[in-house]
Amino acid sequence: MSTATAYTLSRTTTLPFAEAVDHVRAELQSEGFGILTEIDVRATLKEKLDVDGEPYLILGACNPPLAHEALSADPELGTLLPCNVVVSERNGETHVSAIDPERMLSIVGRDDLAPLATEVRARLVRVVDRATRV
């Protein structure tokens, strides 16, 4: 089932959390993204606050050619990188969400970067859609 917010590309899947993570990794790679950062939010909250939570993983994904293009146009865009993709479990359902690059880049006010944002968005839509298929 598709869900979305004003700033994410999201889908729910019946895949178990670990399997969804594997699918997301594979689909990011197929779209030319590498994973630069990985944050296990559940483990971090347990360690720092002794709070138990459901699985929640943030993957910081980067497509080097597209990132290079963006940074060449405006070095300050590095503050918006990498593109975060989240795999989480809530109430027994697995969710996959990615930042919507078009929405994110809209805060910059650079119309010349719209095609780049559209390209990144299209790739992330494919990642979320394919990674959540059973």
Side-chain angles (χ1 to χ4, degrees):
M1 169 172 50
S2 292
T3 59
T5 68
Y7 55 92
T8 64
L9 313 167
S10 304
R11 286 184 67 101
T12 301
T13 181
T14 58
L15 292 171
F17 176 80
E19 194 173 337
V21 170
D22 290 342
H23 282 250
V24 168
R25 289 180 193 281
E27 293 304 336
L28 283 168
Q29 185 175 16
S30 76
E31 289 292 339
F33 290 89
I35 297 171
L36 301 178
T37 60
E38 185 171 318
I39 302 166
D40 183 336
V41 174
R42 177 173 68 172
T44 300
L45 293 177
K46 181 64 176 173
E47 177 187 337
K48 303 292 182 183
L49 303 174
D50 197 26
V51 172
D52 292 314
E54 295 184 288
Y56 195 104
L57 184 68
I58 302 171
L59 301 173
C62 179
N63 180 298
L66 298 175
H68 176 70
E69 186 178 341
L71 293 171
S72 295
D74 184 350
E76 295 297 317
L77 290 178
T79 60
L80 302 177
L81 300 177
C83 294
N84 285 329
V85 179
V86 173
V87 182
S88 63
E89 191 175 287
R90 294 189 301 270
N91 302 319
E93 291 185 323
T94 303
H95 301 266
V96 176
S97 300
I99 189 70
D100 184 335
E102 288 180 327
R103 297 287 297 167
M104 184 173 56
L105 211 51
S106 71
I107 67 172
V108 177
R110 295 267 314 260
D111 292 341
D112 60 314
L113 296 174
L116 178 61
T118 299
E119 174 63 24
V120 176
R121 185 183 196 283
R123 289 173 187 244
L124 289 175
V125 165
R126 290 191 295 266
V127 166
V128 171
D129 284 349
R130 290 192 310 247
T132 54
R133 285 191 195 138
V134 179

